[in-house]
Amino acid sequence: MLNLPASFRKPTSQAIHVVAVPLAFFAFVLIYRPFNLTEQLQLGRFSFGVNLTLIACIVFGAVLLMRTIFHFVRNRIDRLTYYFWCLLEITVAALFVALYVWLMARLVDPYFVVVARVYGWLFPILIFPYVITAMALFLVDRYRQPLAEPAEDQKMRFYDERKNLKLVVTAASVLYIAAKENYVQVVYLDGERVRDYLVRASMRSIEGLCEECGLKRCHRSFYLNPRHVKTLRKEKEGVIVAEMDVAGQEVPVTKRYYDSLVELL
């Protein structure tokens, strides 16, 4: 079973999807007018343009509803399930659009006959933005910057707010770094012993150093070394914890960073 790439689960990707699908639908129909839609969308007292705009809004609402639900179940969806989810979104959009067409045209045909008719032209139009969006997200995931692989002897140099050098350790020995008020706490291995050191500095000042040396942000106040993560678990209360490969060392992980961290383990 293939995992769904992390880029598909990001809220920004969902927001782009919600906007891109109805916009692409509106532009395609307005420019090309396929399936004789100019005549089919002369509904009620409204013109083709007004009906097209309203149907695009219906598609927007349907996709927004489905993507909102998707956001809450995204961590349980694999790649195959995602494809079925996209088909389900198109089906839900067709049900709402068909209801609009059925009511506005005051058709005597049964509702589900209208659904089949609407699905016949809505699906071929909507499938294109779905495919293009999926391809773009796959490319983003494929060409995403890989995690830095520091050499075993690569050094991390920590300076205080006055630019005084306070600590030098190998990147491979660092377990995690935590923010402690006006300090950062560097927790690292010295042989088999766990040591920590407080440096008067901000997390913002060491972000570049952490990324360069392969540490990954997992929380607003924490960076951890993925190479020392033994287990990533979710507690019953919804709290996510990264258990390090050193006994007694655990680091909190927020939902914002969970997906990207999972991809690295």
Side-chain angles (χ1 to χ4, degrees), residues 8-263:
F8 283 76
R9 297 190 177 96
K10 293 181 178 178
T12 51
S13 299
Q14 309 313 315
I16 292 172
H17 188 93
V18 168
V19 174
V21 170
L23 189 61
F25 166 79
F26 179 84
F28 185 86
V29 174
L30 185 65
I31 294 171
Y32 296 103
R33 307 197 179 197
F35 306 108
N36 198 29
L37 288 182
T38 304
E39 288 73 23
Q40 290 191 52
L41 296 186
Q42 297 287 347
L43 303 171
R45 294 176 295 175
F46 297 147
S47 65
F48 165 79
V50 173
N51 283 310
L52 174 60
T53 302
L54 291 174
I55 289 174
C57 290
I58 293 172
V59 172
F60 171 81
V63 176
L64 177 61
L65 172 64
M66 294 300 295
R67 287 288 150 165
T68 301
I69 298 172
F70 177 86
H71 176 75
F72 293 102
V73 299
R74 66 191 186 282
N75 293 326
R76 289 180 283 177
I77 291 182
D78 56 43
R79 193 172 298 186
L80 181 60
T81 307
Y82 179 79
Y83 297 149
F84 281 108
W85 188 277
C86 292
L87 293 175
L88 180 61
E89 283 185 5
I90 296 176
T91 302
V92 170
L95 290 172
F96 283 110
V97 171
L99 181 62
Y100 174 82
V101 171
W102 188 55
L103 293 175
M104 290 297 295
R106 298 179 181 178
L107 297 174
V108 295
D109 297 333
Y111 167 67
F112 285 103
V113 172
V114 180
V115 170
R117 190 182 307 156
V118 168
Y119 197 85
W121 56 260
L122 191 67
F123 176 83
I125 297 173
L126 287 185
I127 197 66
F128 285 105
Y130 275 90
V131 171
I132 292 171
T133 303
M135 290 176 63
L137 291 175
F138 274 122
L139 287 174
V140 167
D141 192 76
R142 180 175 180 180
Y143 293 106
R144 184 177 53 186
Q145 285 289 341
L147 184 68
E149 291 287 349
E152 287 295 319
D153 59 350
Q154 182 177 356
K155 299 294 192 296
M156 295 186 73
R157 293 176 170 81
F158 295 90
Y159 297 83
D160 66 13
E161 58 186 10
R162 296 182 179 180
K163 307 302 180 184
N164 296 317
L165 181 62
K166 290 296 184 179
L167 176 68
V168 181
V169 293
T170 60
S173 70
V174 175
L175 295 174
Y176 62 89
I177 299 174
K180 298 289 184 180
E181 296 183 351
N182 296 324
Y183 295 83
V184 292
Q185 179 188 31
V186 184
V187 180
Y188 63 99
L189 291 174
D190 181 8
E192 295 185 357
R193 295 185 61 184
V194 178
R195 297 185 180 274
D196 67 273
Y197 191 90
L198 290 175
V199 180
R200 190 173 180 84
S202 65
M203 291 293 277
R204 183 183 296 273
S205 67
I206 64 169
E207 285 179 352
L209 175 65
C210 290
E211 295 294 336
E212 177 185 342
C213 293
L215 272 68
K216 186 70 177 176
R217 191 157 208 156
C218 62
H219 187 281
R220 182 180 179 182
S221 302
F222 286 86
Y223 274 91
L224 58 70
N225 190 338
R227 296 160 193 81
H228 285 292
V229 176
K230 179 181 178 182
T231 306
L232 193 62
R233 68 176 189 272
K234 288 186 177 181
E235 306 288 359
K236 292 182 179 179
E237 299 79 11
V239 178
I240 306 171
V241 176
E243 182 182 347
M244 312 305 284
D245 58 5
V246 177
Q249 299 296 320
E250 295 183 342
V251 180
V253 178
T254 59
K255 293 181 180 179
R256 177 181 177 183
Y257 301 104
Y258 174 77
D259 291 334
S260 58
L261 187 58
V262 167
E263 294 292 318

